[in-house]
Amino acid sequence: MSAGRYLIISSADIERGSAIARSAKSSLSANVRMKAFGSAVILSTDMPIALSATGKTLTIGHAFPWTGLDGVAEAPDFPNWGSYIQLSDTPRGLVLARDPSGMLPCYVRHVDGVCLAASDAELLTCVGAAEIDWPHLAGFLASGGRRSPATCLADIFEPVPGTCWQLDPHAVPETLWSPWTFAAAQRPIPSETIAAEQLRHTVEHVVQAWVTKFPDVVLGVSGGLDSSIVAAALKHAGANITAVTLATREPDGDERVHARALAHGLAISLVEAFESPDHVNLEYSAAAPLPRPSTRAFSQSSDAIQLAIASEHHAAAFMSGGGGDSVFCALRSASPLADRILAKAAPTNLGRTARDVARLTGSPLGPVLVRGVRNAWRGARPLPVLANPFLSTDCMAAAPALPLHPWLIPPPGTPPGKAAHVAWILGIFNHLDPVGRTLQLPGIFPLMAQPVVELCLRIPTWMWVRGGRDRAVAREAFRDVLPPAVLERRSKGTPASFVMSLFESRRRQIREMLCDGLLAANGLIDRAAIAQYTRDPRPVSDVRYMQIMSLVDAESWARCWAH
């Protein structure tokens, strides 16, 4: 979420906690604030802090009331939504709760009787250096970046959104909110029409709330559905919008024609720019303050360009349609049909959904029916992971040992489509970490807000594929305000050609970084396979260069923490 930072230091020895806080101040900017609360000392910069009327609860971050929204009954422990954490002074000690959206980062470390919680892992080193947990890093890479409460740094963990923890090294987390409550809701949305109406209202309400805090925003747009919906909601809220679209030199990453259609249809300003390799330093990791290598080097280009535009236009925050594919359940499988089979729908409704899936996926109706029945019989299954052929055998073996995130453990009887929906939402979190440009200005992802996520989880998966279109409910919700070119668009841009150009022009540097680096020294990668692929003089013709580049990102991150 934010450019602000915070550090919570809790110790039974008040003097020791205060001494650590005074020492840690040097890691923060000059405008750092220090506040005592219970047995804790809180340091913060550019971060709202509010004390409750009772003096027993402290909120760090942005919290909005649920007024005008449905959902409080299912999450009574979170009377507000937003991007925040809460500290409560209770008879059993200080308790930290993390809001269900997870948009405000939170990492925890226990050292010699002192408990620390912070917005980034770098702040947790005020009590000593942190070391890379190589087995967990191996599992993270082998699982394709699967998140879990454990991180890739030893003794630093991430509280699951929607849980609370007593600030004590022996405490056990308590779940206050779970996506499964809504995925298996006893009152699902009954029709596509009602779903679209509620989605429109909820998205507009969420965006309006954020605009009250940040009226001047830079919005990344592609002319795709998700960013266009956020643009329409910002327009409705009266925000001062600077839309930005970034293009590659190859057609697959040039979406300017779609972005122009959006800007013309909404009458908003649009800035166009080309991605530039000059902004990309492969040895720099934007994820350096974080406990996982969750960023991609190529994003340094868009970060630099959008920061310059934000400065020129005096923007206060960045907004994005990030997470829309996940929240709007953009499944391209037979799982929606399987879910409808398990819901014991009438044959005519099953036939309609089967035809919707066939049209969406381009598959014949017969195989769709077979897969739908098979998926219904099998039930919820883990999403497949694309194996990285450049990882070592030992590294690949580490994936099953990685602790599972509770959002990847569906309750018995969960339909396969809903299980995949929740897993997709969790999968987007690696792309929401505050890095790059959002270390300078807040980054806001309205489609990942708690009210939007809860509502979308209550919408049955088969409604999302109605008419053979992905994200069908979202398309219908904003049909009257978005240009037809956006609503009917089926293509999707990709930065692949930009990443490919980086790989092609820097093969030697990549080979030396990986073959002589920390991942190789710790047995995580296959040196010979990497050397062979990077020495091949032929132009790349497969996706393996993307997998190589993800290892470059991990290598640059590891060097930050090892040195």
Side-chain angles (χ1 to χ4, degrees), residues 455-535:
L455 172 64
C456 290
L457 286 174
R458 289 176 52 213
I459 298 173
T461 54
W462 55 85
M463 291 186 186
W464 291 108
V465 299
R466 178 72 187 274
R469 302 303 306 271
D470 64 355
R471 300 165 288 174
V473 176
R475 294 179 195 275
E476 190 60 33
F478 288 85
R479 179 168 297 280
D480 64 322
V481 292
L482 292 180
V486 171
L487 288 169
E488 303 307 321
R489 182 182 176 189
R490 289 183 177 269
S491 63
K492 200 171 184 68
T494 170
S497 61
F498 181 58
V499 181
M500 183 184 295
S501 70
L502 291 172
F503 175 82
E504 293 281 21
S505 62
R506 307 185 191 186
R507 284 176 181 257
R508 180 174 179 179
Q509 180 189 8
I510 291 167
R511 182 168 61 251
E512 291 175 352
M513 277 186 70
L514 293 179
C515 293
D516 300 328
L518 292 170
L519 299 185
N522 286 274
L524 271 62
I525 58 177
D526 185 336
R527 272 195 183 101
I530 289 171
Q532 180 181 2
Y533 189 79
T534 54
R535 283 196 175 100

Side-chain angles (χ1 to χ4, degrees), residues 1 3 213-218 240 310-311 313-319 440-444:
M1 149 69 194
K213 303 291 185 181
F214 304 102
D216 303 295
V217 300
V218 167
N240 182 19
S311 176
H313 292 266
H314 308 289
F318 295 102
M319 279 202 191
Q440 306 298 319
L441 291 176
I444 301 164

Side-chain angles (χ1 to χ4, degrees), residues 255-494:
E255 301 177 283
R256 288 176 296 168
V257 64
H258 304 290
R260 289 167 188 165
L262 171 69
H264 177 74
L266 296 181
I268 59 176
S269 62
L270 176 67
V271 179
E272 301 177 7
F274 280 100
E275 300 277 16
S276 172
D278 295 339
H279 293 306
V280 180
N281 177 0
L282 296 184
E283 296 186 3
Y284 168 79
S285 174
L290 302 178
R292 302 181 183 93
S294 57
T295 59
R296 296 294 172 256
F298 69 83
S299 65
Q300 294 173 35
S301 171
S302 60
D303 284 339
I305 295 169
Q306 292 199 49
L307 274 170
I309 293 170
S311 176
E312 179 183 350
H313 292 266
H314 308 289
F318 295 102
M319 279 202 191
S320 166
D325 278 354
S326 301
V327 175
F328 295 156
C329 195
L331 296 176
R332 302 184 70 86
S333 71
S335 291
L337 175 58
D339 288 8
R340 201 156 204 189
I341 291 172
L342 293 171
K344 300 179 180 178
T348 54
N349 289 332
L350 291 178
R352 187 179 75 177
T353 299
R355 289 189 294 273
D356 289 340
V357 171
R359 182 181 174 192
L360 173 65
T361 61
S363 299
L365 185 60
V368 166
L369 290 168
V370 171
R371 288 194 295 269
V373 172
R374 182 187 63 194
N375 290 356
W377 179 74
R378 287 180 174 178
R381 297 165 63 87
L383 293 180
V385 174
L386 179 63
N388 189 325
F390 301 108
L391 296 176
S392 68
T393 303
D394 288 343
C395 184
M396 291 301 296
L402 191 70
L404 273 181
H405 194 288
W407 294 8
L408 295 177
I409 308 174
T414 301
K418 270 304 164 192
H421 192 179
V422 173
W424 267 49
I425 291 172
L426 174 63
I428 202 66
F429 273 74
N430 283 335
H431 303 284
L432 307 184
D433 286 330
V435 294
R437 62 182 178 272
T438 54
L439 291 179
Q440 306 298 319
L441 291 176
I444 301 164
F445 302 89
L447 302 183
M448 290 293 290
Q450 181 186 349
V452 179
V453 170
E454 290 182 2
L455 172 64
C456 290
L457 286 174
R458 289 176 52 213
I459 298 173
T461 54
W462 55 85
M463 291 186 186
W464 291 108
V465 299
R466 178 72 187 274
R469 302 303 306 271
D470 64 355
R471 300 165 288 174
V473 176
R475 294 179 195 275
E476 190 60 33
F478 288 85
R479 179 168 297 280
D480 64 322
V481 292
L482 292 180
V486 171
L487 288 169
E488 303 307 321
R489 182 182 176 189
R490 289 183 177 269
S491 63
K492 200 171 184 68
T494 170

Side-chain angles (χ1 to χ4, degrees), residues 75 165 198 207 230 277 316-317 323 382 401 448 489 514:
W165 296 70
Q198 292 193 9
V207 170
V230 176
M448 290 293 290
R489 182 182 176 189
L514 293 179

